Amino acid sequence: MKAAISKSKYALLKNQKELSEQQAEKLSIVLKTFPKLAEKHRLKEQFKTIFEETDDRVNASKLI
């Protein structure tokens, strides 16, 4: 199991929109295998979206 995660390190860290097809497939497998990790990855992506889509703290705090 640890090997599956370590070989998917870049797929987990990279912006989901920028994954190659192979990385997206690896990520999908890892997230299906590890539901807690899937939840944390989902939160990371949501948090990143907040920073990308807001210009100030007031708007960002509304999204949190």
Side-chain angles (χ1 to χ4, degrees):
M1 283 198 279
K2 188 175 180 180
I5 293 175
S6 67
K7 291 185 179 184
S8 301
K9 177 176 128 179
Y10 292 109
L12 286 163
L13 297 175
K14 194 172 182 181
N15 290 337
Q16 197 162 356
K17 296 174 187 176
E18 298 174 6
L19 293 176
S20 69
E21 189 174 319
Q22 184 180 14
Q23 289 171 328
E25 187 176 318
K26 281 183 181 182
L27 179 62
S28 177
I29 292 167
V30 169
L31 297 182
K32 286 177 186 175
T33 305
F34 302 98
K36 288 183 180 181
L37 183 58
E39 176 65 13
K40 284 152 182 59
H41 184 267
R42 184 185 65 78
L43 292 171
K44 175 197 74 118
E45 289 294 318
Q46 287 179 337
F47 193 67
K48 184 176 60 63
T49 300
I50 290 170
F51 279 96
E52 290 175 349
E53 295 181 0
T54 58
D55 297 330
D56 57 53
R57 288 183 177 188
V58 174
N59 289 328
S61 66
K62 291 177 185 177
L63 296 172
I64 294 178

